[in-house]
């Protein structure tokens, strides 16, 4: 048997990669009954694909959103602008399970911070909720006004004058606050179809 090429092996996570490389793992019984560690990799800087490794050796590759076959079921993976939005083991029978983040990833670091500082973690979580709620209330009317000014839309539905008119600097601040809040929500595996509409837009 020929040795694996470097591209067939799971590379260690480098610090400079934590903002775009996502790694999750789960242990499942292998063909012989011994546990096998399956690792899923998705890279926001590469083509939108998911890679599956068994004990560090690549065994599958698929475009996102992906369904990667593993013993007893599949691993479903999807990626949005702000991070991984789904990474679950879906067994042939039984309840699905979310994979655990590999040590050193942003998701792992955020989880460890939550365990060490639960009070501060909850405060950050509520701040993210508030930032997204404010974005929805203030940004949505302006977005509707912008869309209504498109000639084809205006001809069919008319134009809409937003009751909210914010200065450019505040709109820019809301964009950055919303992006930071969306990253926080993804890192803590929280998702709501209304509150997290910014992250949902990236999946359309």
């Amino acid at each position: 048997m020929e040795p694996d090429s470097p591209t067939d092996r799971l590379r260690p996570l480098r610090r400079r990669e934590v903002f775009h490389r996502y790694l999750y793992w789960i242990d499942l019984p292998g063909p012989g009954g011994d546990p096998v560690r399956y690792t899923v990799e998705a890279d926001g800087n590469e083509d939108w694909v998911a890679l599956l490794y068994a004990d560090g050796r690549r065994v599958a590759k698929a475009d996102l959103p992906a369904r990667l076959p593993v013993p007893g079921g599949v691993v479903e993976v999807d990626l949005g602008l702000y991070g991984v939005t789904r990474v679950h083991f879906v067994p042939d029978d039984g309840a699905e399970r979310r994979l655990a983040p590999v040590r050193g990833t942003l998701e792992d670091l955020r989880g460890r911070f939550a365990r060490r500082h639960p009070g501060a973690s909850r405060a950050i979580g509520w701040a993210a909720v508030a930032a997204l709620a404010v974005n929805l209330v203030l940004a949505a009317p302006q977005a509707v006004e912008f869309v209504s000014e498109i000639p084809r839309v205006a001809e069919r539905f008319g134009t809409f004058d937003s009751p909210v008119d914010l200065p450019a600097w505040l709109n820019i601040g809301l964009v950055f606050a919303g992006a930071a809040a969306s990253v926080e929500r993804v890192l803590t595996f929280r998702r709501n179809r209304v509150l997290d509409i910014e992250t949902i837009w990236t999946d359309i």
Side-chain angles (χ1 to χ4, degrees):
M1 179 181 294
E2 295 182 0
D4 297 333
S5 69
T7 57
D8 291 331
R9 304 297 299 180
L10 178 63
R11 293 187 298 103
L13 178 68
R14 300 181 178 91
R15 288 187 179 181
R16 65 176 182 271
E17 297 175 327
V18 297
F19 293 105
H20 62 84
R21 191 173 175 217
Y22 310 101
L23 297 164
Y24 293 83
W25 66 270
I26 187 171
D27 288 337
L28 297 171
D34 294 328
V36 175
R37 173 150 299 186
Y38 289 91
T39 305
V40 172
E41 175 182 5
D43 193 328
N45 280 0
E46 301 293 336
D47 293 336
W48 283 63
V49 297
L51 305 176
L52 178 67
Y53 298 85
D55 285 339
R57 183 177 182 277
R58 195 171 80 186
V59 293
K61 177 179 179 180
D63 293 332
L64 292 166
R67 288 171 56 88
L68 302 167
V70 293
V74 297
V75 173
E76 296 184 351
V77 191
D78 201 2
L79 182 67
L81 179 63
Y82 303 108
V84 171
T85 57
R86 180 170 176 80
V87 57
H88 286 68
F89 168 58
V90 182
D92 297 329
D93 51 11
E96 64 182 29
R97 286 185 286 158
R98 187 177 66 231
L99 277 65
V102 168
R103 187 172 181 83
T105 60
L106 281 184
E107 294 86 345
D108 170 66
L109 296 174
R110 181 62 180 86
R112 282 194 279 163
F113 176 84
R115 291 189 290 273
R116 293 173 181 171
H117 309 284
S121 177
R122 284 192 296 270
I124 293 172
W126 281 112
V129 170
L132 291 176
V134 169
N135 264 272
L136 279 177
V137 172
L138 296 182
Q142 296 182 91
V144 173
E145 180 181 38
F146 176 79
V147 172
S148 74
E149 293 175 349
I150 299 174
R152 288 189 177 181
V153 176
E155 290 175 4
R156 183 168 183 179
F157 300 103
T159 58
F160 170 77
D161 291 326
S162 170
V164 179
D165 186 15
L166 301 178
W169 66 267
L170 185 52
N171 277 324
I172 294 173
L174 288 174
V175 169
F176 281 103
S182 296
V183 171
E184 157 67 16
R185 298 277 291 177
V186 169
L187 290 179
T188 52
F189 305 104
R190 290 180 172 86
R191 190 168 176 85
N192 178 279
R193 289 196 64 84
V194 176
L195 186 62
D196 298 299
I197 191 169
E198 286 187 273
T199 57
I200 290 171
W201 285 343
T202 66
D203 297 332
I204 296 176

